[in-house]
C-alpha cells in the first residue's frame, strides 16, 4: 500500500487547514462515514459492555439451552450451557478490540523507532534489516505457542505474540517512507543549518511519516483481531470462562448443526470489525493523499 505525504512539517494554520481538508474528504466518502460509524458503535459497545450486557457472561440457564434468536429474554439466543449469546458477543468484541489495540501499540512502539533508524542511518540499516528477517522467520503461531508454554495462554500474551509478528511490516513501511523523506530538500536544508539527527528525525521526518503510520495501524488492527480469533480458537488466547469471539467459534463448531447461530453470529462480528477497519483505512489513505487536491 503506497501512501504519499506532504514533504514539510505542518505547524500552525497550515496543519489546521490540512486536517480540515482531510476531514472534509472523509465526510464526502460514504464508505468512510459508514465504516467510521460502525467502528464508533463497536468501540462504544465494547467500552460499556460490562454495563450494557443483559446477563453475566458465565450465567447459565440449563432450562433454555440452544434457544434460537428471538427468544424472549435472549435476543440472539443461547449456547450449549444456556449462556446469553448477545452478552458474550459484546464482551468478546471488547476482548478482540483490546488485543487489536495492544498488539498494534506494541508493534508501533518497537517498529517505528527501528524503521526511522533503518531509513536514516545507513550503518544501522543492515542490522535492523537482518532483525526484521529474523522475526519473519518465526510465524506468529509459533511465538504464541512459545509464550503460552512459558507464561500461559492469556489476552496479554496473545497481544504480545501478534504485536511481535506485526513489527516487520511496520519497520519496512516506516523505513521506506524515511528514505523518501530523507532525500527531500527540507531535510537537507535542516541538516545544512546544523540540526542534529535527533532533531531531524523528531521534527521533520516523523511528523511527515505520521500519515503512513496511521494507515498502517488501521490495516494492522483487523489483522490482529483475526489473529486473536485464531489463537483463541486454538486455545492459545483468552481462556474460558472469559468470553472471546474465537473461543465462541471453537465451542460452537461441535454444535453447528443444532445451533448454527452460535457460530455464525461471532463470525459475522469478526468479519464486520475487520471489514470496517480495512475500509476506513483505505478511505484514510485516500484522504491523506496530497494528490487529491489536484483531482
Amino acid at each position: 500500500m503506497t501512501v504519499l505525504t506532504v514533504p514539510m512539517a505542518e505547524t500552525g494554520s497550515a496543519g489546521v487547514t490540512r486536517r480540515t481538508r482531510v476531514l472534509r474528504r472523509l465526510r464526502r466518502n460514504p464508505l468512510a462515514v459508514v465504516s467510521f460509524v460502525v467502528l464508533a458503535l463497536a468501540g462504544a459497545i465494547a467500552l460499556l459492555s460490562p454495563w450494557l450486557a443483559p446477563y453475566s457472561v458465565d450465567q447459565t440457564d440449563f432450562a433454555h439451552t440452544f434457544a434460537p434468536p428471538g427468544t424472549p429474554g435472549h435476543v440472539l439466543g443461547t449456547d450449549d450451557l444456556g449462556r446469553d449469546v448477545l452478552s458474550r458477543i459484546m464482551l468478546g468484541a471488547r476482548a478482540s478490540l483490546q488485543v487489536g489495540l495492544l498488539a498494534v501499540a506494541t508493534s508501533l512502539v518497537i517498529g517505528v523507532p527501528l524503521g526511522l533508524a533503518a531509513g536514516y542511518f545507513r550503518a544501522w540499516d543492515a542490522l535492523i534489516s537482518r532483525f526484521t528477517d529474523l522475526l519473519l522467520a518465526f510465524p506468529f503461531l509459533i511465538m504464541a505457542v512459545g509464550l503460552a508454554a512459558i507464561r500461559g495462554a492469556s489476552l496479554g500474551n496473545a497481544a504480545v505474540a501478534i504485536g511481535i509478528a506485526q513489527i516487520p511490516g511496520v519497520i519496512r513501511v516506516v523505513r521506506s517512507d524515511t528514505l523518501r523523506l530523507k532525500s527531500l530538500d527540507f531535510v537537507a536544508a535542516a541538516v545544512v543549518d546544523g540540526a542534529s539527527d535527533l532533531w531531524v528525525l523528531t521534527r521533520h521526518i516523523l511528523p511527515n511519516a505520521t500519515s503512513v503510520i496511521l494507515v498502517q495501524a488501521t490495516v494492522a488492527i483487523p489483522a490482529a483481531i483475526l489473529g486473536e480469533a485464531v489463537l483463541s480458537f486454538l486455545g492459545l488466547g483468552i481462556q474460558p470462562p472469559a468470553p472471546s469471539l474465537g473461543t465462541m467459534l471453537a465451542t460452537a463448531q461441535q454444535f453447528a448443526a443444532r445451533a448454527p447461530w452460535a457460530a455464525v453470529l461471532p463470525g459475522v462480528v469478526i468479519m464486520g470489525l475487520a471489514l470496517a477497519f480495512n475500509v476506513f483505512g483505505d478511505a484514510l489513505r485516500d484522504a491523506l493523499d496530497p494528490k487529491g487536491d489536484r483531482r
Side-chain angles (χ1 to χ4, degrees), residues 143-165:
M143 288 185 280
V145 170
L147 285 173
I150 297 172
R151 302 183 56 187
S154 66
L155 183 149
N157 290 337
V160 170
I162 297 170
I164 293 174

Side-chain angles (χ1 to χ4, degrees), residues 12-157:
S13 60
V16 174
T17 301
R18 191 188 181 209
R19 284 194 295 271
T20 303
R21 186 167 61 249
V22 170
L23 291 175
R24 184 172 64 249
R25 291 180 189 170
L26 289 174
R27 287 196 299 267
R28 291 176 178 175
N29 187 336
L31 290 177
V33 174
V34 171
S35 61
F36 177 79
V37 170
V38 171
L39 293 176
L41 287 175
I45 292 173
L47 185 65
L48 301 175
S49 56
W51 300 275
L52 293 178
Y55 298 92
S56 173
V57 293
D58 54 358
Q59 180 178 339
T60 58
D61 183 1
F62 294 107
H64 297 89
T65 58
F66 297 119
T71 300
H74 300 285
V75 177
L76 297 183
T78 61
D79 62 8
D80 58 308
L81 298 178
R83 297 173 297 189
D84 185 63
V85 172
L86 175 60
S87 300
R88 292 183 64 78
I89 284 179
M90 293 171 69
L91 272 297
R94 175 188 176 94
S96 294
L97 289 174
Q98 284 179 325
V99 170
L101 293 175
L102 287 173
V104 171
T106 300
S107 65
L108 293 180
V109 167
I110 299 174
V112 170
L114 291 178
L116 290 172
Y120 191 80
F121 301 104
R122 180 175 298 180
W124 290 20
D125 190 13
L127 178 62
I128 295 175
S129 295
R130 298 295 77 75
F131 172 71
T132 302
D133 294 338
L134 178 64
L135 290 180
L136 289 173
F138 294 93
F140 87 96
L141 279 177
I142 302 299
M143 288 185 280
V145 170
L147 285 173
I150 297 172
R151 302 183 56 187
S154 66
L155 183 149
N157 290 337

Side-chain angles (χ1 to χ4, degrees), residues 125-215:
D125 190 13
L127 178 62
I128 295 175
S129 295
R130 298 295 77 75
F131 172 71
T132 302
D133 294 338
L134 178 64
L135 290 180
L136 289 173
F138 294 93
F140 87 96
L141 279 177
I142 302 299
M143 288 185 280
V145 170
L147 285 173
I150 297 172
R151 302 183 56 187
S154 66
L155 183 149
N157 290 337
V160 170
I162 297 170
I164 293 174
Q166 291 181 338
I167 289 175
V170 175
I171 291 176
R172 290 185 170 182
V173 168
V174 177
R175 174 185 176 275
S176 176
D177 206 51
T178 300
L179 288 170
R180 182 184 66 83
L181 293 169
K182 180 183 175 182
S183 64
L184 298 180
D185 292 339
F186 73 98
V187 173
V191 173
V192 171
D193 287 341
S196 65
D197 293 333
L198 181 61
W199 180 270
V200 172
L201 285 170
T202 57
R203 295 288 182 168
H204 295 285
I205 293 181
L206 181 59
N208 284 287
T210 301
S211 59
V212 175
I213 297 171
L214 286 175
V215 173

